[in-house]
Amino acid sequence: MAPRTPYILLSFANPLTVPAEYLKFLNREATNISGHLEKFVLEDHFDVQRLPNATTEDLFNTVEQWQAHKDLLLFHFGGHASGPVLMLNTEEGDTKIANGQGLARLLGSIPSLKLVFLNACDTEESVPLLLEAGVKAIIATDAPVQDAMALDFADRFYQNLANHQDIRTSFDRASMYLETKYHLKTSPPTSSGVYFETMMRKQQEEAATYRRIRPEKPEKEEKVIPWGLYYAEGHEKVLQWKIPNFSRQRADKEQKRRRSTALIGVIGAVLATVITLAVWRPWVAPTLDLTLSFYQDSTLTQFIETGTVDIQYGEAPEAAFSLQNGQLTLKDIPQEFSETELSIKPHFEGFSDRLQRLQIPSGGGALALFVPPLVYQTIVKGTLKNPQGQALAGATILYAGDTTETNTLGDFQFSLPFPEGTTKRMRVIYQQTEIYNGVEAIFPEISLTVDLQP
């Protein structure tokens, strides 16, 4: 049975129809988190699913469909909340109250889930619901949170997590960062708490036994950061979970494979000698050789020069081979595997890694394989504004090797041959002056605010 692929689910919801409540840093939070996790996605260690305008249907459909084949490691929500409810989007772009109890039961039913991160106002009341449902660890808040501070905390937490720090250490370092940057004080809460309080009623807090890790509330009336790390009694070990160091695991696995191969070679040589001495005549089991050629076009005229290939046949273990000028040769395949299935999984940069199965020819020979290239076509839409919220029309935007101009509303659009999350440089030229030069991750929606002051 093929191993299940782990994944991380990032969900965000912004009140698109309520300008006063729009979180202008939420898109940046999504971009930064995805950027920290990008290296693991590109190397196929795990998947990241991002829902930029999450609806109730989006969340449940994604979890239910993906859970059939993948293991959820971490669930993140960014947006507005109050008490045990989250504010999710609707298909029409409005905002709708979503009771957290149903979502808590869904998440609690997933054994692989390590952490739920609720990056929104007043989410502590959701903690008992999640713990009772079976969630092992939660990051939540006990007060309204500032938009920019929420961005900083999430950015710093995932930066440490991506550097192979465990949950506890990542949380502690993000807390230290905010304590230093904001001087242990928070700005006055925004109107979001007042606005959403009129749309919902508080539910009575359910009893639950749990612990909250720093920062603790001081005795004095001193404002501290509102984030807390919660876990159920007896489940402290989950705080030690970290994203595995896949490169080290691969190196250890390769070293172990080489040792096993060398040992098998020695044992094989000894057995061959014993058999030869016992029979008193040379005898070699019939074998065959097979040459595989890999092409990047369906006409089979242009080789794929470099890369590695995983190959398995019969009862033999899967082994990795490197290409030499687009070809590799399998030598001394036992004749008993003639006309049996050969499983081939290529790993070539820019090409599909789809598993191919071919029949080993009787007597050996040559096989030609066409490996299709990966083709991406990501549509990116965005708006360019100044800090006052005014659209910048007629600006030239250079992004990922492509160029376009903003229209009268400041809108722009690209069609890029790169997957979502790929980091590319963006430049903005307005009235013959470069007003922005930075790195942006490719996502379907980009909101760019540029200060025109030199």
Side-chain angles (χ1 to χ4, degrees):
M1 181 181 295
R4 290 166 61 89
T5 304
Y7 78 103
I8 290 176
L9 178 56
L10 307 176
S11 59
F12 305 90
N14 227 338
L16 305 177
T17 59
V18 187
E21 300 303 324
Y22 186 81
L23 300 170
K24 66 178 181 179
F25 290 105
L26 189 60
N27 186 60
R28 177 64 61 183
E29 175 184 328
T31 300
N32 288 5
I33 295 174
S34 300
H36 293 314
L37 302 175
E38 178 183 15
K39 59 183 178 181
F40 301 104
V41 178
L42 294 178
E43 295 179 5
D44 294 326
H45 298 314
F46 57 73
D47 293 329
V48 173
Q49 175 70 349
R50 176 179 166 186
L51 303 177
N53 298 298
T55 65
T56 301
E57 291 75 14
D58 291 336
L59 288 179
F60 275 76
N61 289 344
T62 300
V63 172
E64 291 171 354
Q65 293 173 9
W66 282 48
Q67 199 58 30
H69 308 284
K70 302 174 184 290
D71 289 326
L72 179 61
L73 299 177
L74 189 153
F75 172 80
H76 179 96
F77 172 78
H80 282 299
S82 182
V85 300
L86 305 178
M87 301 302 298
L88 299 179
N89 289 116
T90 66
E91 295 293 341
E92 296 76 22
D94 295 327
T95 306
K96 183 178 181 181
I97 296 172
N99 193 314
Q101 189 165 11
L103 181 60
R105 292 171 57 194
L106 176 66
L107 296 175
S109 68
I110 302 174
S112 60
L113 183 62
K114 306 298 182 184
L115 176 69
V116 171
F117 190 155
L118 301 178
N119 201 26
C121 297
D122 292 308
T123 55
E124 188 181 39
E125 288 188 45
S126 294
V127 171
L129 299 178
L130 291 164
L131 291 175
E132 183 178 344
V135 175
K136 301 178 183 67
I138 305 108
I139 294 177
T141 60
D142 61 2
V145 296
Q146 192 180 23
D147 191 12
M149 191 183 294
L151 164 64
D152 286 338
F153 186 83
D155 180 55
R156 188 62 52 166
F157 175 83
Y158 284 99
Q159 177 179 312
N160 280 280
L161 200 67
N163 288 331
H164 305 293
Q165 301 298 322
D166 60 29
I167 293 174
R168 173 68 180 270
T169 303
S170 301
F171 176 84
D172 287 345
R173 292 185 178 180
S175 300
M176 297 172 195
Y177 176 74
L178 258 64
E179 290 173 357
T180 303
K181 181 173 181 179
Y182 292 92
H183 309 288
L184 292 176
K185 294 182 179 180
T186 59
S187 299
T190 61
S191 60
S192 59
V194 177
Y195 173 80
F196 289 117
E197 190 67 26
T198 62
M199 301 175 64
M200 62 188 72
R201 58 184 177 85
K202 293 280 188 177
Q203 295 185 359
Q204 184 176 4
E205 183 176 347
E206 298 182 20
T209 303
Y210 63 89
R211 292 189 179 274
R212 180 183 194 270
I213 295 178
R214 63 179 308 275
E216 297 293 344
K217 286 292 186 180
E219 294 181 1
K220 299 179 180 179
E221 290 298 325
E222 182 181 355
K223 294 181 179 179
V224 298
I225 66 172
W227 284 269
L229 175 57
Y230 305 81
Y231 63 93
E233 288 281 8
H235 289 81
E236 295 86 348
K237 289 187 65 175
V238 71
L239 305 183
Q240 301 173 9
W241 180 83
K242 61 178 70 174
I243 295 176
N245 190 333
F246 295 100
S247 59
R248 182 177 300 171
Q249 288 183 351
R250 282 186 171 180
D252 293 343
K253 184 178 180 180
E254 178 64 18
Q255 186 177 20
K256 184 177 181 181
R257 186 188 67 81
R258 290 179 178 178
R259 289 176 179 174
S260 299
T261 302
L263 180 61
I264 292 173
V266 172
I267 295 174
V270 172
L271 289 176
T273 302
V274 172
I275 292 173
T276 301
L277 292 175
V279 179
W280 284 101
R281 64 182 178 86
W283 180 86
V284 179
T287 62
L288 58 88
D289 296 340
L290 180 63
T291 299
L292 303 176
S293 301
F294 297 85
Y295 295 89
Q296 58 180 290
D297 60 315
S298 57
T299 60
L300 305 182
T301 58
Q302 188 172 357
F303 284 117
I304 299 175
E305 295 292 338
T306 59
T308 60
V309 183
D310 295 335
I311 294 179
Q312 193 273 333
Y313 57 86
E315 300 298 324
E318 183 181 272
F321 297 84
S322 298
L323 290 189
Q324 296 292 336
N325 298 321
Q327 295 181 327
L328 64 87
T329 300
L330 305 177
K331 291 184 173 293
D332 301 326
I333 300 176
Q335 187 68 39
E336 64 187 271
F337 293 117
S338 175
E339 298 185 356
T340 62
E341 184 177 81
L342 184 72
S343 297
I344 304 169
K345 186 176 181 60
H347 301 285
F348 308 143
E349 185 176 358
F351 293 86
S352 171
D353 63 350
R354 180 175 58 85
L355 182 68
Q356 299 193 40
R357 292 183 172 88
L358 301 175
Q359 187 176 15
I360 299 176
S362 176
L367 290 175
L369 295 91
F370 165 54
V371 182
L374 291 176
V375 179
Y376 298 101
Q377 201 67 21
T378 304
I379 304 299
V380 178
K381 297 180 180 180
T383 303
L384 179 63
K385 298 180 180 180
N386 61 20
Q388 291 73 41
Q390 299 170 327
L392 298 182
T396 299
I397 301 179
L398 299 87
Y399 188 30
D402 201 356
T403 304
T404 189
E405 289 188 357
T406 58
N407 60 18
T408 56
L409 300 177
D411 297 332
F412 60 88
Q413 179 173 320
F414 288 94
S415 178
L416 302 175
F418 300 99
E420 289 187 22
T422 304
T423 301
K424 294 294 180 180
R425 181 162 297 278
M426 175 181 283
R427 297 174 57 206
V428 179
I429 299 174
Y430 183 65
Q431 296 180 350
Q432 300 182 345
T433 301
E434 183 177 87
I435 59 175
Y436 179 76
N437 189 330
V439 174
E440 293 286 339
I442 294 176
F443 287 112
E445 294 184 6
I446 293 179
S447 179
L448 197 61
T449 302
V450 179
D451 192 347
L452 300 181
Q453 298 299 322

